[in-house]
Structures are given as C-alpha cells and as structure tokens.
Amino acid sequence: MAGGDVPRPGKPVRGSATGRPIMAALDLLGRRWTLRLLWELRDGPHGPRAVLARCEGLSSSVLYRRLRDLEEAGLVTREPEGSYRLTELGAELREAIAPLGSWSERWAKR
C-alpha cells in the first residue's frame, strides 16, 4: 500500500493482503491521531483550529491529512463554514467503540 492511501476493505492493508473489513478498519483507526480526532468530534462539529488547540503536539499538516483520510473513509464531513463533524457512519463508530472505553476504565482500576 502506498503511503498516504486510505485503507479500504477489499484492498491490501497492514496485516491483511485481502483487506478484510476489520483489518482495514484497524489500519485506519491505528494511524496516529485518528482516534483522537474522532474523539474530539464526538459531541459536535469543530473547526480545525479548535481541534488543533485541543490536541497538543498535533501538527497542522497531520491534522489536515487525517481529516482528509477520515473524510475519504466516510467518517467525517466538512461543513460549508469549514468545521468538521462526524457522519452517521462516524457516529455509529463512536457507539461501537464506547464499550472499549468502559473496558479501559475497568482495566485502569486493576
């Protein structure tokens, strides 16, 4: 897979030559800053500057690259005024990973 390509089910991705959907999803979500950006957009749209201010250490070039990846993957959309928000599919992902958040809280208490 060439650098910068957005993982897609059915195409080779890290860990899967066949691009099984779960492997494509894990490849996409495993990219640096991707989950953090989805987290920051969980409660509504935010402009890039607001997201950047919330993510210490995130460069603007990586921010825009990840937002483009998430947009291309159908998880984020750009509003006409320039802010970004989760799509319906992105909101479904938020709900799908909520149990992982609960698990991580139990794990942290061990």
Side-chain angles (χ1 to χ4, degrees), residues 37 48 51-52 58-68:
L37 294 177
V51 174
L52 201 56
L58 173 60
S59 71
S60 60
S61 62
V62 172
L63 169 68
Y64 286 107
R65 188 176 322 128
R66 291 297 173 258
L67 287 171
R68 277 193 311 270

Side-chain angles (χ1 to χ4, degrees), residues 29-107:
L29 298 176
R31 292 178 174 202
R32 191 170 188 194
W33 293 103
T34 298
L35 286 171
R36 177 64 186 269
L37 294 177
L38 292 169
W39 174 258
E40 293 301 338
L41 296 173
R42 73 193 180 283
D43 293 325
H46 292 290
R49 287 184 182 172
V51 174
L52 201 56
R54 294 169 182 229
C55 299
E56 185 177 332
L58 173 60
S59 71
S60 60
S61 62
V62 172
L63 169 68
Y64 286 107
R65 188 176 322 128
R66 291 297 173 258
L67 287 171
R68 277 193 311 270
D69 291 349
L70 291 169
E71 197 170 7
E72 191 173 325
L75 302 178
V76 166
T77 190
R78 187 169 186 234
E79 301 283 279
E81 76 281 356
S83 64
Y84 290 85
R85 69 170 175 79
L86 296 179
T87 62
E88 185 176 329
L89 190 60
E92 287 176 21
L93 174 61
R94 180 188 63 211
E95 297 303 316
I97 62 176
L100 182 59
S102 298
W103 174 87
S104 69
E105 293 296 329
R106 291 190 303 277
W107 179 55

